[in-house]
C-alpha cells in the first residue's frame, strides 16, 4: 500500500472518481508537503504549527511523507487527524517531496522540513504573495531557534542575502531551501519535479525555473517565516555552512552556479547595517561571526571539489 490517507482523495484519483460517479474531492488553495525521516525529535512541533495556522483549515491540506523512518516518526504523524500520510520507499527527501506533490490537490505547493516550525501566519503570507499571478516561487525567511545576539545577527544577514539575490536577478546566484518555500502548482507541470539528489534538488529546481521562465517569478517574502529548530547554537549554524559549501560546489559541476563574491557579500553587509541601523558594536560582531562561516563554507567547497565525504 502506498500510504494511509485521511479525509481526502488524492489528486490522481479525481478523474477515476468522476468516471465512477463519485464526486471528486474539492480543490484546496494550498497543499503543504512535509517529508520526514527519523524526525521524532521535532516532528510534533512542526505539525502543531501547521495545524494551528490562521489560514482557514478547509483551504489547505497537510501531506506527510514517511521516508523509511526507523524511529517513532510515523507513529507521531499518524496521531494527527485530517492529514494525508504516505510512505515513500525510495530513499531521499526529494523523492518523498515529489510523491507528496503528485498527491497534492492545491493550486499552490508549500514545502517545509520536519525540523522546522512555521509562524502562525505562514500560510496566510504564502496566499498573499501568490495572489500576484506573475509570482511562481516564494522563498521565505528562516529563523534560528535561539534569540542569542550572534544568531540573530546571522539570521538578519542570511535574509538580506536572499533579498539581494532575488533583487539583483543574477541567474548564477539563485538558490532554494525547501524548508520554507512555496510554488505555483502549474510550475511542476511545466518543468517537472524536483531532481532527486541527496542535496541541492531545491536549488536545481529554482534554477530550472529561472532558466525557463526568467527571474521575475521568484520572490522573497521576509514575512513568510519558519524557525529552523535544529539551528540553536553557533556551532549548528557553522556546521550548516560547511554542508552548504560542499553541496553547492557539487551543484556547480552540473549547472552554472556560484556563491556570492566577496564584493557582493560586502554589499549585503553594508545594506543590512544601513537598513537595520546597526551600531558599530553590532557591525563588528557580525563581521567576526561571518568570518569563520566563510572559512567553513570554503572548506566544505573544497571537499566537494575533490569528492571528499
Amino acid at each position: 500500500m502506498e500510504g494511509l490517507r485521511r479525509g481526502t482523495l488524492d489528486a490522481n484519483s479525481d478523474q477515476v472518481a468522476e468516471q465512477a460517479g463519485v464526486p471528486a474531492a474539492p480543490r484546496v488553495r494550498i497543499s503543504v508537503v512535509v517529508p520526514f525521516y527519523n524526525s521524532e525529535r521535532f516532528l510534533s512541533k512542526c505539525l502543531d504549527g501547521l495545524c494551528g495556522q490562521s489560514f482557514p483549515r478547509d483551504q489547505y491540506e497537510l501531506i506527510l511523507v514517511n521516508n523509511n523512518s526507523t524511529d517513532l516518526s510515523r507513529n507521531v504523524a499518524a496521531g494527527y487527524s485530517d492529514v494525508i500520510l504516505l510512505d515513500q520507499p525510495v530513499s531521499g527527501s526529494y523523492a518523498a517531496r515529489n510523491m507528496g506533490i503528485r498527491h497534492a490537490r492545491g493550486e499552490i505547493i508549500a514545502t517545509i522540513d520536519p525540523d522546522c516550525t512555521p509562524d502562525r501566519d505562514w500560510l496566510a503570507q504564502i496566499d498573499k504573495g501568490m495572489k500576484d499571478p506573475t509570482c511562481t516561487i516564494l522563498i521565505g525567511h528562516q529563523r534560528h531557534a535561539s534569540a542569542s545576539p550572534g544568531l540573530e545577527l546571522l539570521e538578519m544577514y542570511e535574509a538580506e542575502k536572499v533579498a539581494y539575490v532575488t533583487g539583483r536577478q543574477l541567474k548564477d546566484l539563485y538558490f532554494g531551501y525547501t524548508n520554507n518555500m512555496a510554488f505555483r502548482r502549474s510550475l511542476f507541470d511545466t518543468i517537472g519535479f524536483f531532481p532527486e539528489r541527496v542535496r541541492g534538488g531545491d536549488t536545481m529546481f529554482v534554477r530550472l525555473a529561472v532558466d525557463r521562465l526568467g527571474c521575475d517569478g521568484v520572490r522573497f517574502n521576509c514575512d513568510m517565516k519558519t524557525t529552523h529548530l535544529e539551528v540553536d547554537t553557533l556551532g549548528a549554524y557553522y556546521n550548516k555552512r560547511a554542508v552548504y559549501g560542499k553541496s553547492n560546489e557539487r551543484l556547480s559541476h552540473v549547472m552554472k552556479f556560484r556563491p556570492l563574491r566577496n564584493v557582493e557579500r560586502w554589499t549585503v553587509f553594508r545594506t543590512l547595517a544601513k537598513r537595520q541601523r546597526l551600531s558599530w558594536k553590532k557591525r563588528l560582531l557580525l563581521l567576526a561571526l561571518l568570518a569563520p562561516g566563510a572559512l567553513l563554507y570554503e572548506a566544505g567547497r573544497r571537499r566537494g571539489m575533490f569528492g571528499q565525504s
Side-chain angles (χ1 to χ4, degrees), residues 272-287:
L272 172 64
K274 183 177 180 180
R275 189 194 307 275
Q276 298 294 335
R277 299 181 179 179
L278 298 181
S279 66
W280 283 106
K281 183 178 179 180
K282 287 186 174 180
R283 294 184 190 199
L284 291 172
L285 174 59
L286 178 55
L287 285 174

Side-chain angles (χ1 to χ4, degrees), residues 66-81:
N66 175 40
N67 196 209
N68 300 312
S69 295
T70 57
D71 65 358
L72 296 178
S73 298
R74 197 182 192 284
N75 291 349
V76 171
Y80 286 77
S81 61

Side-chain angles (χ1 to χ4, degrees), residues 50-70:
L50 290 171
C51 292
Q53 290 290 293
S54 61
F55 197 66
R57 186 63 185 89
D58 62 349
Q59 289 298 301
Y60 71 97
E61 62 180 358
L62 301 179
I63 302 175
L64 318 179
V65 188
N66 175 40
N67 196 209
N68 300 312
S69 295
T70 57

Side-chain angles (χ1 to χ4, degrees), residues 102-113:
R102 289 186 178 98
H103 282 75
R105 296 180 295 118
E107 306 167 45
I108 298 161
I109 308 295
T111 62
I112 188 171
D113 283 350

Side-chain angles (χ1 to χ4, degrees), residues 14-304:
D14 288 353
Q15 187 176 1
V16 174
E18 289 174 4
Q19 291 172 352
V22 179
R27 288 285 177 183
V28 294
R29 173 67 170 162
I30 304 173
S31 296
V32 183
V33 177
V34 188
F36 64 90
Y37 166 74
N38 289 354
S39 304
E40 181 183 356
R41 179 183 174 194
F42 296 121
L43 186 57
S44 61
K45 292 181 181 178
C46 174
L47 298 181
D48 287 345
L50 290 171
C51 292
Q53 290 290 293
S54 61
F55 197 66
R57 186 63 185 89
D58 62 349
Q59 289 298 301
Y60 71 97
E61 62 180 358
L62 301 179
I63 302 175
L64 318 179
V65 188
N66 175 40
N67 196 209
N68 300 312
S69 295
T70 57
D71 65 358
L72 296 178
S73 298
R74 197 182 192 284
N75 291 349
V76 171
Y80 286 77
S81 61
D82 194 23
V83 301
I84 302 157
L85 180 55
L86 306 172
D87 290 291
Q88 170 57 285
V90 178
S91 296
S93 63
Y94 295 107
R97 289 187 185 94
N98 287 341
M99 173 179 273
I101 293 166
R102 289 186 178 98
H103 282 75
R105 296 180 295 118
E107 306 167 45
I108 298 161
I109 308 295
T111 62
I112 188 171
D113 283 350
D115 62 352
C116 296
T117 186
D119 277 18
R120 190 168 183 272
D121 67 343
W122 183 61
L123 290 177
Q125 289 294 335
I126 290 172
D127 177 63
K128 180 180 177 181
M130 285 294 187
K131 284 179 178 174
D132 180 348
T134 65
C135 178
T136 55
I137 297 176
L138 278 174
I139 301 175
H141 178 123
Q142 298 183 88
R143 280 204 179 107
H144 296 146
S146 169
S148 71
L151 280 176
E152 188 175 273
L153 285 170
L154 289 168
E155 177 188 313
M156 288 192 291
Y157 176 84
E158 295 297 335
E160 192 66 47
K161 182 169 68 177
V162 183
Y164 174 86
V165 169
T166 54
R168 295 296 179 97
Q169 297 193 350
L170 300 172
K171 284 187 178 183
D172 294 356
L173 292 176
Y174 274 75
F175 59 91
Y177 39 81
T178 41
N179 59 12
N180 189 2
M181 295 184 73
F183 309 82
R184 202 169 293 280
R185 173 59 184 265
S186 57
L187 190 59
F188 294 97
D189 298 329
T190 301
I191 65 176
F193 294 91
F194 289 113
E196 295 184 1
R197 300 170 54 89
V198 175
R199 298 193 64 88
D202 41 14
T203 291
M204 287 189 73
F205 185 86
V206 170
R207 287 298 310 281
L208 286 168
V210 166
D211 289 342
R212 178 77 66 88
L213 304 172
C215 299
D216 289 342
V218 182
R219 314 286 172 78
F220 173 58
N221 182 350
C222 63
D223 295 320
M224 172 185 155
K225 296 178 180 178
T226 63
T227 299
H228 198 166
L229 299 171
E230 192 177 30
V231 184
D232 56 355
T233 64
L234 284 173
Y237 171 84
Y238 289 137
N239 179 65
K240 292 290 185 184
R241 298 307 301 157
V243 170
Y244 295 152
K246 177 181 172 183
S247 173
N248 290 343
E249 176 60 29
R250 290 184 173 176
L251 275 179
S252 72
H253 297 171
V254 297
M255 58 184 278
K256 194 174 181 183
F257 177 79
R258 68 173 178 84
L260 271 69
R261 300 186 178 100
N262 287 335
V263 65
E264 292 167 328
R265 294 190 181 102
W266 180 244
T267 299
V268 172
F269 172 83
R270 292 181 60 190
T271 302
L272 172 64
K274 183 177 180 180
R275 189 194 307 275
Q276 298 294 335
R277 299 181 179 179
L278 298 181
S279 66
W280 283 106
K281 183 178 179 180
K282 287 186 174 180
R283 294 184 190 199
L284 291 172
L285 174 59
L286 178 55
L287 285 174
L289 292 167
L290 288 172
L295 291 173
L296 286 166
Y297 183 95
E298 182 62 22
R301 201 174 71 81
R302 289 181 178 276
R303 286 197 295 272

